[in-house]
Amino acid sequence: MQNHKRPPASLLFIFGGSGDLNFRKLSPALYNLFIDEWMPEKFDIVGIGRTAFTDDAYRAKLLDGINQFSRRKEEKNGKWVAFSQHISYLQMDAENEEEYKNIAEIVKTKEQQYGEHPNVIFYMAVAPQLVPDIAKKLGPLNICADTKCTRIVVEKPFGHDLQSAHELNKLLMSMFDEEQIYRIDHYLGKETVQNILALRFANALFEPIWNRNYIDHVQITAAETVGVEGRGGYYETSGALRDMVQNHILQLVCMIGMETPVSFDANEIRNKKVDVLNAIRKISSEEVHSYAVRGQYSDGWMKGEKVPGYRQEKSVSADSNIDTFAAVKFYIDNWRWQDVPFYVRTGKRLHDKTTIINIQFKPAPHYAFPAEAAETWRPNRLTISVQPEMDIRLRFQAKRPGQSMTLNPVDMIFSYKDAYDGNEPEAYETLLLDVMEGNATLFMRSDQVEAAWKIIMPILDAWESRPPVDFPNYAPDSWGPEDAEALIARDGKNWITLPPLHQE
Ligand code: BG6
């Protein structure tokens, strides 16, 4: 029996209940919370969708998802039968206002059954363009007026640009208070990303050197080997900059760049993060080409397999100019970071699946050792591997054993796999639990989302007004277009990729 306090009674409505996100991520996450006894004593999950399902058929579909995608499969745990009793399905046309009454009915019934008013959570696992309409129809049900208990969870992308994000914020805030709106960025739920806060603020060691006096530059890489995986329709309206940089990567920049929080209060953390976004230097339209690089993958070979180019993917236009790769150099204009470049890159069909953050320190101010001792001397570097490896490596110089004084770089490594049992919760588990508990620390506030859009708008506008002349410009299984190498090489640096610690 776990010794922790469970969240209060909760009733979850999942719009997009028959969709992929629920199938692959949400249901497995809720199931794992159930196994770990983190689900409330009283809870129900209602999947909402247009497709017809009986409750049993719906449960069978979710079980299939769990067996495919959950970190723990059903056979080993045998908790499915008990968990599935809490799941039902509501077939409904989300465009028909009349049908929303069914939701109000379910809330009333459950309230009587539980003998208390539960948290009512509306999870928008639907295409982004449907969110405003659904939210508008939830408003008149009057369930939302209960600011203590009602919550709406909105997936990314939050808006398509600054203006639409602003309008969506306005609409949601006309019906919900900010405290009721949970804008998800799943990167913030990852263990390794949360650990950045522990590393920075639970250790006295790093803070004194965490600034422009000691740090030369920061690099963030979020690389994927997959292509658009049948999501061409969505990706055609997005691209790498919108899909990854506006949210996940800028959030990582915030975690690395933020000032020390006074407490772990949700608003305190978010204030410190939004300060970073507000301090990021705005790139003018004329400068975009020297700060940002875009790319699109061609067809070619990926680990011995022939793969199509982006323009040949399903639902993608044959002359699409959408970016499947983006690299940007940011500056944070404040006392801590002035003139320290933050290089970020992300892309599909790259050589490795890896998300890593490198903090590159400046060289030691004076080499006291003889020149031959220092031939392989490298400045210190702190590497945070977010995934799939989960580790932190600190590179420092050591004397190579032997009679001569030869130095070479070595790594001090903390690996999650070696230190713990390797069964960390998935990001969605952490985030769903936070929603039920009413803890918004790891969620995006309206001003954060808009500040992030403001940063990338000049790049998006410049790219839209000047179509690329060289697309597709990188081969699968590469590290993206040559221009991305040039972006960082111009400053006398290069992208860092590390060998994995654990070879399978
Ligand atoms: C999503 C993007 O937000 O993040 C996807 O829409 C991307 O395109 C995914 O593949 C990457 O997430 P993760 O957790 O695998 O790094």
Side-chain angles (χ1 to χ4, degrees), residues 156 186-187 190 224 231 243-244 248 348 353 387:
K156 67 161 274 275
H186 80 277
Y187 264 55
K190 291 182 191 275
E224 296 183 274
R231 291 163 77 221
D243 188 45
M244 293 291 288
H248 308 324
K348 303 257 183 214
K353 161 95 182 156
Q387 61 183 22

Side-chain angles (χ1 to χ4, degrees), residues 25 155-157 185-187 190 222-224 226-229 231 234-235 238 243-244 247-248 348 353 355 386-387 427-428:
K25 297 284 184 192
E155 272 289 336
K156 67 161 274 275
D185 182 315
H186 80 277
Y187 264 55
K190 291 182 191 275
E224 296 183 274
V226 291
V228 287
E229 295 184 292
R231 291 163 77 221
Y234 153 72
Y235 211 79
S238 167
D243 188 45
M244 293 291 288
N247 34 72
H248 308 324
K348 303 257 183 214
K353 161 95 182 156
T355 302
V386 172
Q387 61 183 22
Y428 273 99

Side-chain angles (χ1 to χ4, degrees), residues 13 86 109 119 121 129 168 178 281 285 291 295 325 345 358 418 445 475:
F13 290 97
H86 298 266
T109 315
N119 286 329
I121 298 162
Q129 61 274 21
L168 182 55
E178 177 63 43
R281 193 178 299 168
S285 155
Y291 282 86
F325 176 98
R345 61 175 175 167
N358 279 294
D418 298 339
R445 215 170 47 190

Side-chain angles (χ1 to χ4, degrees), residues 117-308:
H117 187 59
N119 286 329
V120 181
I121 298 162
F122 299 111
Y123 200 113
M124 302 290 123
V126 290
Q129 61 274 21
L130 301 179
V131 173
D133 206 42
I134 295 176
K136 269 187 219 152
K137 296 192 168 77
L138 287 173
L141 292 182
N142 272 335
I143 303 168
C144 313
D146 187 344
T147 53
K148 280 195 303 300
C149 305
T150 323
R151 286 159 211 166
I152 182 163
V153 185
V154 186
E155 272 289 336
K156 67 161 274 275
F158 193 91
H160 178 72
D161 51 19
L162 177 59
Q163 199 190 334
S164 54
H166 180 68
E167 279 161 15
L168 182 55
N169 271 331
K170 233 167 82 187
L171 172 78
L172 291 176
M173 284 154 86
S174 68
M175 277 168 301
F176 298 88
D177 280 358
E178 177 63 43
E179 292 68 50
Q180 297 174 274
I181 308 170
Y182 287 72
R183 299 172 191 81
I184 277 210
D185 182 315
H186 80 277
Y187 264 55
L188 294 180
K190 291 182 191 275
E191 277 292 327
T192 35
V193 173
Q194 292 180 68
N195 194 38
I196 298 173
L197 295 181
L199 179 83
R200 287 197 55 200
F201 305 128
N203 297 295
L205 193 62
F206 298 110
E207 180 53 22
I209 55 168
W210 207 262
N211 56 52
R212 64 191 303 271
N213 298 328
Y214 294 92
I215 294 178
D216 178 76
H217 73 279
V218 176
Q219 292 187 18
I220 300 176
T221 295
E224 296 183 274
T225 49
V226 291
V228 287
E229 295 184 292
R231 291 163 77 221
Y234 153 72
Y235 211 79
E236 280 286 272
T237 64
S238 167
L241 194 69
R242 278 193 172 92
D243 188 45
M244 293 291 288
V245 180
Q246 189 272 341
N247 34 72
H248 308 324
I249 289 187
L250 280 176
Q251 283 307 304
L252 296 180
V253 171
C254 288
M255 305 284 268
I256 298 298
M258 69 194 272
E259 293 301 317
T260 317
V262 175
S263 71
F264 263 68
D265 171 70
N267 271 330
E268 169 63 4
I269 300 277
R270 298 191 294 180
N271 286 343
K272 291 292 190 282
K273 283 167 65 178
V274 84
D275 283 348
V276 176
L277 296 174
N278 288 333
I280 291 183
R281 193 178 299 168
K282 301 291 168 300
I283 302 171
S284 73
S285 155
E286 302 74 52
E287 290 171 323
V288 165
H289 66 281
S290 46
Y291 282 86
V293 169
R294 57 182 151 168
Q296 190 190 77
Y297 59 84
S298 63
D299 61 345
W301 293 88
M302 190 87 207
K303 320 280 176 234
E305 199 186 307
K306 184 101 179 89
V307 292

